[in-house]
Structure formats: C-alpha cells, structure tokens
C-alpha cells in the first residue's frame, strides 16, 4: 500500500500519533469476483502489517471501508514498537506491505438501531469509520476519551461536519490529562440516565481501545444498567455489546 497522506497528533506531548491514509490497493479480477483481499472491506476490519525484524504481524482496525476509496488507520508510536515506529515514520509516497483480515464481529451493520460508540485514543479509528459511513443517518452517540484536547483529538476537524450532516447525533468527550481529569467511563456515568434509556430501548454498544479502558467501561455500564436489571454480559449474549480491545 502507498501512503497518500498523514495527519500528525501528539508530537508536542512526546506521544506521536498519526492518521495514515493509503491508496486503495488494486484488486485482481479473481479478488473482485470472490470478494477477497482488498476487493471488499468495511470499517472495523483489520489490516496486518509485518514489521521488519519481527515474525509476528501487528493488527490495526480500519477506519475506512471500500466505498471510501482509501485505506485508513490510526497509529500511536509506542516506545520500542517495531510496527508503530515504522508506520509512523512513513511519508507520503512510501509503501508498506499489508494483508486484510475480516472482523465481522465488529461491524456496525446496516440496521437503524441506535449505536453507542465508546473509545479512547487510537480506538477512535473504526468508530470514526462507522460514523463516516452513516449515510442513512442512524442515531449514533460517540463517547471519546483523549489525553490532551489540543493534541489528541483524532478526527476533531471532521466531527462538526459529521454532526451537521446527520452522521453523528451526539459527541461526548473526556480529557484524562486536562485541568479536570476525566475518563470515558466517567463521561458515561455523568450521562447515565440517557445511556440507560438508549440501551433499554435497544441501542447497541461498541467499544474500541485498550483493555484497561474497556474494563472501566464495562464496570461503569454495569452500574448504570443495574437498576434496569441488565448487565454487560446479557448485552453481549444478545449481540448488543461488542468489543475490539488490545
């Protein structure tokens, strides 16, 4: 894949990250016929990158679908991270070899059931892809946690436009290293009444990000849903609570 553009975040905080956009790989006639390779993919699917010096691929959630006309991921550079270091060093025109892995358990689906999207940091990637692809104006409520509002607000430039277009119903942010420290689970608790109402009315919850964040979100939702006799485990069994955590 060839990198066509990058947007940098967090460099001044010694936490470099970037939204990397690659040109759409050309599919062979066989791939187009069978829907394999990059002939067909959705936000929430995964791309695997095999970094130099390692036999193990690293997987990244896609922030785009085939209809967007590009492949996009959000990557934070980790200290000593081979894949993240190599990816965040790419400049437009550079190339990287990657493969596609389907992730059907983390697709937004085509229904109009409201979505509660919850993520922190680079976990915003697939959630942004779901919002961008929401042409049918499905109700979407996004809870997004970041470190610093001035340097880690991934897709902050697009959010107002997505709201104006009806792709995003509501945005709630939490800043963990600001004057008033708040995490995404705190934002859920602060909005407990509406979160509980949405879920009791059938909303689907999708969580993406680090394991600690996902655990905190599950604990918060357990508290919020207890008066209604619901639990995250029940929602998971019903397919109304899905996670993509790392």
């Amino acid at each position: 894949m060839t990198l066509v553009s990058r947007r940098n975040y967090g460099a001044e905080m010694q936490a470099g990250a970037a939204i990397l956009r690659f040109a759409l790989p050309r599919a062979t006639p066989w791939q187009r016929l069978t829907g394999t390779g990059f002939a067909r993919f959705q936000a929430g699917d995964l791309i695997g990158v095999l970094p130099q010096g390692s036999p193990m691929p690293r997987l990244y959630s896609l922030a785009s679908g085939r209809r967007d006309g590009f492949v996009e991921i959000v990557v934070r550079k980790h200290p000593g991270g081979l894949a993240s270091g190599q990816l965040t060093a790419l400049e437009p025109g550079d190339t990287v070899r990657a493969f596609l892995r389907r992730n059907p358990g983390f697709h937004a689906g085509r229904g109009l059931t409201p979505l509660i999207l919850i993520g922190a940091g680079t976990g915003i990637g697939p959630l942004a892809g779901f919002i961008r692809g929401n042409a049918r104006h499905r109700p979407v409520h996004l809870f997004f946690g970041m470190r610093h509002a001035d340097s880690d607000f991934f897709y902050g430039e697009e959010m107002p436009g997505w709201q104006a277009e009806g792709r995003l119903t509501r945005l709630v942010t939490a800043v963990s290293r600001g004057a008033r420290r708040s995490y995404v689970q705190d934002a859920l608790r602060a909005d407990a009444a509406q979160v509980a109402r949405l879920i009791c009315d059938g909303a689907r919850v999708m969580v993406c990000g680090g394991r600690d964040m996902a655990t905190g979100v599950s604990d918060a939702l357990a508290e919020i849903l207890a008066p209604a006799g619901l639990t995250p485990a029940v929602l998971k069994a019903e397919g109304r609570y899905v996670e993509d955590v790392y």
Side-chain angles (χ1 to χ4, degrees):
M1 300 192 303
T2 302
L3 187 71
V4 294
S5 69
R6 59 176 294 156
R7 281 186 285 168
N8 299 320
Y9 294 83
E12 64 272 32
M13 305 296 178
Q14 287 75 51
I19 297 175
L20 303 177
R21 180 174 293 186
F22 299 88
L24 193 65
R26 181 176 298 175
T28 66
W30 174 253
Q31 288 174 331
R32 288 194 292 270
L33 178 65
T34 59
T36 57
F38 284 90
R40 187 181 304 153
F41 63 91
Q42 301 181 38
D45 283 335
L46 308 169
I47 63 167
V49 176
L50 188 65
Q52 296 177 3
S54 173
M56 296 294 294
R58 309 304 196 265
L59 298 175
Y60 295 89
S61 297
L62 283 171
S64 61
R66 175 81 190 188
R67 291 183 179 181
D68 293 316
F70 51 82
V71 175
E72 189 166 277
I73 57 177
V74 186
V75 181
R76 184 178 298 281
K77 184 178 180 180
H78 297 282
L82 289 176
S84 65
Q86 291 170 22
L87 285 169
T88 54
L90 293 175
E91 295 294 341
D94 291 342
T95 61
V96 64
R97 293 180 62 85
F99 63 88
L100 180 70
R101 179 174 291 179
R102 310 285 183 209
N103 190 20
F106 203 72
H107 289 168
R110 297 191 176 187
L112 294 177
T113 301
L115 291 178
I116 299 176
L117 306 181
I118 306 169
T122 57
I124 189 66
L127 309 184
F130 301 151
I131 296 167
R132 180 160 43 204
N134 184 26
R136 299 179 66 190
H137 299 170
R138 179 182 195 171
V140 174
H141 303 259
L142 173 64
F143 290 81
F144 177 47
M146 67 193 86
R147 294 178 179 178
H148 302 272
D150 57 352
S151 66
D152 294 299
F153 195 172
F154 300 115
Y155 295 102
E157 302 91 334
E158 286 92 340
M159 295 291 182
W162 289 339
Q163 288 182 295
E165 294 166 0
R167 298 174 190 267
L168 176 61
T169 305
R170 190 166 61 112
L171 169 66
V172 180
T173 59
V175 180
S176 63
R177 297 185 183 178
R180 294 183 177 180
R181 294 192 175 190
S182 175
Y183 295 91
V184 70
Q185 53 265 40
D186 298 322
L188 289 168
R189 289 188 175 96
D191 203 29
Q194 184 161 9
V195 169
R197 180 182 61 79
L198 285 167
I199 294 175
C200 289
D201 288 346
R204 186 166 183 246
V205 179
M206 304 186 74
V207 181
C208 188
R211 293 188 182 278
D212 290 343
M213 180 276 301
T215 298
V217 165
S218 180
D219 291 344
L221 288 177
E223 296 172 16
I224 292 169
L225 296 174
L230 287 173
T231 67
V234 168
L235 296 180
K236 288 180 180 179
E238 296 175 349
R240 293 205 292 134
Y241 190 119
V242 293
E243 297 173 309
D244 181 3
V245 300
Y246 44 83

